[in-house]
Amino acid sequence: MTRDEKFAILDSIKLENDFYPVVEQDCREENAALIENMERIFDLRDGRDYTCLFAVADLLADKDKAEAVKDYLLAENSYKKEDVVPPEWEDKLLVSTAMEDNPLFFSMAWNWTCLTEARVSGTASGTGSDTAETGGYVLILKPEDAYEVQYQAAAKAGFAKFGMEHPIGKYGKLGQEGCSDDRLKGLFFYMTLSDEYQEKPVSLNIEFECLADNEIRRVSLDKAAAEKKERIKSKTVKADISKGIRILKVELREK
């Protein structure tokens, strides 16, 4: 998705919901910390996170699929609908403002909505937002849904987590650890698996771009056996991550 396409979507949301600049600015001032970390609603810590995700569905999903997206979210996480407070105008304003100000949150919200819509419409076979397969792998993050992860050097030398973990459908969350020191320059990806997939064989192919040199690289993560494992990771790749990375494509295969 291009920058212009993103803001065309956000402008349409504003017009449909009467989110005027003055109320958006008030929202920014009152909720600065929430907006900066809005992607944390995907952790689903409490009913408030569900309320905000319901607002995401109302704003981004096709009108005829929004309720099905919400129902799927509840069913997937065994959460009761009566425990969720339906989003009000102020909740939607907060989510809309966060999508404009927090690029990571917009990317996660857009990908989650597309993925869930595909599932509820029966076009994703329960695995992802695209059913195109290559060698048994299913494309679950398409190039047009690429997202960026900014790098900030850690206080201590060596490898450290950077950026937020990104939801990969029902399978878990994708994260990365890296180092920009000249001696150790590079990164590796890891995936924190959902409870359902901690005992299932699963493999991923990831294509990413380093923003410092625009080089595209590929890595793989593999859980070959069915033994219980909460996290899998790739080999370390030599790369300049000082300006961050862009995740271009994620393919996944259930063995």
Side-chain angles (χ1 to χ4, degrees):
M1 178 183 297
T2 67
R3 185 177 182 276
D4 288 344
E5 289 171 337
K6 169 186 172 180
F7 282 100
I9 291 168
L10 293 175
D11 286 345
S12 176
I13 288 171
K14 293 177 189 180
L15 288 172
E16 289 178 8
N17 294 275
D18 296 328
F19 297 153
Y20 299 111
V22 63
V23 296
E24 288 181 313
Q25 189 55 38
D26 288 344
C27 181
R28 288 185 178 95
E29 293 174 359
E30 294 172 9
N31 302 283
L34 275 175
I35 289 171
E36 184 178 1
N37 298 285
M38 199 67 185
E39 63 275 7
R40 292 180 181 173
I41 66 172
F42 289 96
D43 293 336
L44 297 173
R45 298 157 297 180
D46 52 34
R48 176 62 178 162
D49 286 349
Y50 283 89
T51 296
C52 289
L53 276 173
F54 274 28
V56 170
D58 286 338
L59 296 175
L60 289 180
D62 291 342
K63 300 306 179 187
D64 60 341
K65 293 180 183 175
E67 292 306 315
V69 168
K70 297 175 190 177
D71 290 341
Y72 189 95
L73 171 68
L74 295 172
E76 189 177 37
N77 294 280
S78 301
Y79 203 83
K80 296 179 180 178
K81 194 166 189 175
E82 54 266 31
D83 292 336
V84 181
V85 177
E88 297 183 352
W89 181 85
E90 290 81 3
D91 301 310
K92 295 178 184 180
L93 171 63
L94 172 62
V95 167
S96 173
T97 306
M99 287 195 293
E100 181 167 7
D101 294 0
N102 184 334
L104 173 60
F105 173 59
F106 176 81
S107 175
M108 293 172 70
W110 180 260
N111 290 340
W112 173 78
T113 303
C114 292
L115 175 63
T116 310
E117 280 188 320
R119 287 178 179 168
V120 301
S121 65
T123 60
S125 302
T127 56
S129 58
D130 195 312
T131 54
E133 295 190 13
T134 306
Y137 283 83
V138 178
L139 183 64
I140 59 175
L141 177 70
K142 297 180 288 187
E144 58 264 35
D145 295 324
Y147 66 94
E148 293 185 6
V149 182
Q150 299 302 312
Y151 177 75
Q152 184 172 2
K156 297 180 180 179
F159 280 73
K161 292 181 182 180
F162 66 97
M164 298 292 293
E165 292 185 342
H166 192 89
I168 301 296
K170 62 182 179 179
Y171 302 100
K173 295 182 179 180
L174 182 66
Q176 49 282 318
E177 294 190 23
C179 177
S180 60
D181 298 345
D182 288 337
R183 186 173 59 88
L184 298 172
K185 189 179 294 183
L187 83 161
F188 64 84
F189 289 89
Y190 66 87
M191 182 143 173
T192 304
L193 296 166
S194 65
D195 291 343
E196 180 182 355
Y197 282 88
Q198 288 179 13
E199 297 186 26
K200 293 182 179 181
V202 63
S203 297
L204 291 92
N205 292 327
I206 299 169
E207 185 176 288
F208 70 99
E209 176 184 5
C210 292
L211 301 180
D213 57 16
N214 299 121
E215 287 288 330
I216 295 176
R217 297 170 172 84
R218 295 169 181 83
V219 296
S220 297
L221 294 78
D222 186 59
K223 183 176 181 293
E227 78 271 13
K228 186 174 178 64
K229 205 170 198 178
E230 294 182 4
R231 184 171 119 147
I232 56 175
K233 70 176 187 176
S234 71
K235 293 181 179 179
T236 300
V237 180
K238 291 285 187 182
D240 183 355
I241 61 171
S242 59
K243 293 185 178 179
I245 60 175
R246 180 181 293 112
I247 313 297
L248 300 174
K249 185 166 66 175
V250 177
E251 298 171 324
L252 185 144
R253 180 175 66 177
E254 296 183 52
K255 298 182 179 180

